[in-house]
């Protein structure tokens, strides 16, 4: 089945101060957007591109197309690895910074993985989330969704504006050259072996990209028109089968970078056996140990960044964050009444209480006190899904209250969520005319339609009065 992932939206660009009812803070905006991309389970989410983990989304068409023998989840991990590994922790240069976008033709990054990932990620790129954050998120989602232990995630990465240094390890390189390269990003030999094993638990090597490797595997099964030879028999499962098959000689026996008869490109064999297989034997002791080690190593990989980066807080549905408000809109009418609309998202993480049928939401007024205004939001049967951390439910609601009461937050389920009503776009008093025509989707990259219209935006904002020696805040002004 061919399913299109190309879609278009008409967006009104405003600053985070105006467009959100949350207190303006750049890092918190990044966290919220990453939470949305990572945790919400919508039909056009990033997760849908790797569901199931065996599928491939062809960036040249935006369609699921499995005839090539490629795998989007494996590509996402490979892109992060290639982006990070040319960094240097001793000079604070490079690392995971999306410089890979300028390096796809430098000879070290063969195959479609890089343009596939960058193009598919571009649909979710925004002022709040950098491309480097999206590359990190791709690794986190691939590992977590395909069977691995969840990888800690933070945002705040800064995108490079030019290519970084070369140095991605290649199959024909000697062992010492590879270990020296990994040492530059803070990984010792044991780390390097384990990270490589983690990266090779999904996907395989394609003859189209590495004929010297695959031609030396004449008896291996090639899949798809691009000739993939898998790393292990559970090609779409994030598990330690790659390790156990290497050690006991079963299945794919460690994959084509081990079994090829072309000794020049036996890079995995050289690396894995460099400590007499001690690291691989540790990784084989249990699947849970393997996935936990991969989680730790992937976390280090995606947090190897340029020195100027300042990370956000973590993005994870912990016991204090599996319930959160989202997509909030605050309106003000001509009679001085406010209306807040949106929904609460509830992720039923392991150990959390079952999602309630109804959620009581209380208003916290402008002075920080719980107001005698509340609403009971009903769990939506239509708007639900299954995310990486568990079932996701939504509770749509609308709450009306006098503008004189205002709001500084909402409380629900014994938690309080801070909001603000100082400055926001008043959607009910804003307009777009004429309305744009329906978008006609075209299954090709770069599809677009031109629209010209008039946009009127009403903004509620404080003004300063100079009628006295003091500055006064007027909270009822529309501009």
């Amino acid at each position: 089945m061919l399913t299109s992932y190309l879609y278009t939206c008409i967006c009104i660009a405003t600053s985070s101060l105006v467009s959100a009812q949350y207190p303006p803070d750049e890092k918190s905006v990044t966290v919220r957007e990453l939470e949305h991309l990572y945790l919400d389970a919508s039909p056009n989410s990033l997760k849908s591109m790797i569901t199931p983990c065996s599928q491939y989304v062809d960036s040249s068409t935006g369609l699921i197309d499995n005839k090539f023998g490629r795998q989007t989840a494996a590509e996402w991990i490979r892109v992060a690895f290639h982006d990070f590994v040319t960094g240097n922790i001793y000079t604070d240069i490079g690392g995971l910074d999306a410089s890979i976008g300028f390096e796809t033709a430098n000879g070290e990054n063969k195959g479609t993985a890089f343009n596939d990932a960058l193009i598919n990620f571009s649909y979710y790129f925004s002022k709040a989330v950098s491309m480097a954050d999206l590359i990190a998120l791709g690794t986190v989602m691939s590992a977590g969704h395909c069977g691995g232990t969840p990888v800690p995630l933070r945002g705040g990465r800064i995108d490079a504006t030019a290519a970084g240094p070369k140095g991605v390890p290649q199959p024909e390189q000697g062992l010492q050259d590879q270990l020296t390269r990994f040492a530059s990003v803070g990984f010792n030999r044991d780390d390097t072996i384990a990270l490589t094993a983690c990266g090779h638990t999904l996907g395989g090597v394609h003859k189209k990209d590495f004929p010297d490797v695959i031609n030396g595997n004449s008896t291996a099964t090639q899949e798809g028109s691009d000739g993939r030879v898998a790393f292990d028999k559970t090609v779409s499962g994030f598990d330690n089968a790659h390790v156990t098959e290497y050690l006991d000689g079963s299945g794919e026996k460690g994959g084509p970078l081990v079994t090829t008869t072309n000794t020049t490109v036996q890079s995995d064999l050289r690396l894995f056996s460099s400590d007499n297989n001690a690291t691989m034997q540790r990784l084989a002791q249990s699947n849970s140990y393997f996935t936990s080690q991969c989680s730790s190593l992937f976390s280090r990989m995606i947090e190897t960044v340029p020195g100027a980066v300042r990370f956000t807080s973590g993005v994870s549905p912990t016991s204090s964050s599996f319930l959160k408000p989202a997509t909030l809109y605050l309106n003000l009418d001509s009679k001085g009444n406010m209306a807040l609309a949106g929904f609460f998202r509830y992720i039923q993480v392991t150990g959390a209480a079952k999602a309630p049928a109804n959620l009581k939401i209380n208003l916290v007024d402008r002075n920080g006190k719980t107001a005698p205004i509340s609403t009971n939001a009903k769990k939506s049967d239509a708007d639900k899904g299954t995310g990486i951390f568990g079932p996701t439910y939504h509770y749509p609601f609308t709450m009306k209250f006098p503008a004189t009461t205002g709001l500084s937050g909402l409380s629900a389920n014994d938690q309080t969520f801070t909001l603000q009503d100082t400055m926001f776009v008043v959607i009910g008093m804003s307009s777009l005319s004429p309305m744009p025509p329906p978008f006609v989707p075209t299954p090709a990259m770069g599809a677009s339609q031109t629209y010209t219209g008039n946009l009127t935006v009403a903004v509620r904002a404080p003004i300063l009065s100079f009628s006295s020696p003091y500055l006064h805040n007027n909270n009822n002004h529309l501009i």
Side-chain angles (χ1 to χ4, degrees):
M1 180 179 70
L2 300 182
T3 303
S4 175
Y5 278 87
L6 296 181
Y7 56 93
T8 295
C9 66
I10 295 178
C11 302
I12 300 174
T14 60
S15 72
S16 60
L17 177 66
V18 175
S19 62
Q21 282 73 56
Y22 290 95
D25 175 82
E26 185 175 347
K27 289 190 178 299
S28 65
V29 171
T30 296
V31 169
R32 285 194 301 275
E33 182 60 16
L34 280 173
E35 284 181 336
H36 165 62
L37 295 174
Y38 184 23
L39 305 177
D40 289 351
S42 62
N44 290 319
S45 66
L46 273 170
K47 177 174 172 283
S48 66
M49 290 191 178
I50 55 172
T51 304
C53 289
S54 58
Q55 82 175 11
Y56 170 65
V57 178
D58 184 354
S59 67
S60 67
T61 62
L63 302 173
I64 297 172
D65 196 342
N66 295 321
K67 70 174 179 288
F68 300 104
R70 296 188 181 270
Q71 189 176 348
T72 295
E75 287 187 340
W76 288 359
I77 294 174
R78 185 177 180 220
V79 170
F81 171 80
H82 279 234
D83 194 30
F84 125 92
V85 77
T86 58
N88 191 314
I89 63 171
Y90 304 103
T91 61
D92 277 340
I93 294 175
L96 206 151
D97 60 1
S99 63
I100 191 72
F102 301 95
E103 300 159 2
T104 58
N106 72 359
E108 293 184 341
N109 303 300
K110 300 174 182 177
T112 65
F114 309 97
N115 285 327
D116 278 340
L118 294 169
I119 291 172
N120 288 328
F121 289 153
S122 70
Y123 300 126
Y124 306 92
F125 173 79
S126 69
K127 179 182 177 181
V129 178
S130 66
M131 182 59 73
D133 278 343
L134 290 168
I135 292 173
L137 178 59
T139 292
V140 170
M141 297 193 77
S142 292
H145 180 49
C146 298
T149 299
V151 180
L153 174 67
R154 297 190 289 177
R157 293 167 188 79
I158 301 171
D159 288 343
T161 57
K166 296 180 72 171
V168 176
Q170 301 296 309
E172 64 272 13
Q173 280 184 309
L175 174 64
Q176 193 54 53
D177 288 340
Q178 290 199 344
L179 294 179
T180 299
R181 167 43 36 209
F182 276 95
S184 296
V185 286
F187 283 60
N188 62 26
R189 182 183 60 186
D190 291 359
D191 298 333
T192 302
I193 293 170
L195 180 64
T196 302
C198 294
H200 289 173
T201 186
L202 298 176
V205 179
H206 296 84
K207 181 176 181 178
K208 182 177 181 180
D209 306 328
F210 296 95
D212 290 348
V213 175
I214 303 305
N215 287 340
N217 284 268
S218 58
T219 61
T221 300
Q222 295 184 26
E223 300 172 287
S225 60
D226 287 352
R228 179 183 68 184
V229 175
F231 286 122
D232 62 36
K233 287 297 185 183
T234 59
V235 66
S236 59
F238 198 100
D239 55 31
N240 70 346
H242 174 55
V243 177
T244 58
E245 290 179 11
Y246 163 76
L247 291 172
D248 63 22
S250 63
E252 300 295 343
K253 303 178 182 179
L257 295 172
V258 170
T259 59
T260 179
T261 57
N262 183 347
T263 58
T264 301
V265 291
Q266 287 178 332
S267 54
D268 278 7
L269 179 60
R270 285 192 291 269
L271 180 61
F272 294 162
S273 62
S274 65
D275 66 349
N276 294 317
N277 293 327
T279 299
M280 295 293 275
Q281 287 169 356
R282 285 196 301 273
L283 294 173
Q285 63 184 279
S286 73
N287 193 61
S288 60
Y289 177 80
F290 173 80
T291 60
S292 67
Q293 291 299 297
C294 293
S295 173
S296 176
L297 290 165
F298 280 177
S299 177
R300 287 173 55 190
M301 178 177 76
I302 64 176
E303 294 206 352
T304 300
V305 295
V309 170
R310 297 294 178 266
F311 282 113
T312 67
S313 58
V315 180
S316 174
T318 63
S319 59
S320 61
S321 65
F322 59 80
L323 175 70
K324 280 199 171 182
T327 317
L328 299 178
Y329 298 97
L330 187 58
N331 259 317
L332 177 68
D333 65 24
S334 59
K335 296 180 181 180
N337 296 308
M338 286 183 165
L340 180 67
F343 61 84
F344 270 78
R345 180 203 67 219
Y346 188 98
I347 301 176
Q348 196 169 304
V349 298
T350 302
K354 184 178 179 180
N358 295 282
L359 184 68
K360 185 177 181 180
I361 304 168
N362 297 290
L363 178 74
V364 181
D365 68 21
R366 191 175 292 123
N367 297 317
K369 298 180 179 179
T370 301
I373 299 171
S374 65
T375 186
N376 283 306
K378 183 179 179 181
K379 181 173 65 177
S380 171
D381 291 329
D383 190 8
K384 61 183 179 180
T386 301
I388 290 173
F389 289 89
T392 304
Y393 301 95
H394 293 94
Y395 296 80
F397 73 94
T398 299
M399 182 180 289
K400 297 181 179 180
F401 50 92
T404 53
T405 299
L407 88 158
S408 63
L410 295 173
S411 63
N413 201 35
D414 298 323
Q415 298 180 61
T416 299
F417 306 90
T418 302
L419 306 173
Q420 61 89 26
D421 66 355
T422 302
M423 186 175 183
F424 60 91
V425 172
V426 183
I427 296 177
M429 297 183 183
S430 303
S431 63
L432 178 65
S433 65
M435 290 300 294
F439 178 75
V440 179
T442 302
M445 295 307 304
S448 64
Q449 293 183 12
T450 300
Y451 164 77
T452 302
N454 297 310
L455 176 64
T456 302
V457 179
V459 179
R460 179 181 185 272
I463 62 170
L464 299 178
S465 171
F466 294 89
S467 58
S468 73
Y470 303 98
L471 299 181
H472 298 284
N473 193 343
N474 181 341
N475 282 319
N476 295 308
H477 191 65
L478 294 176
I479 56 176

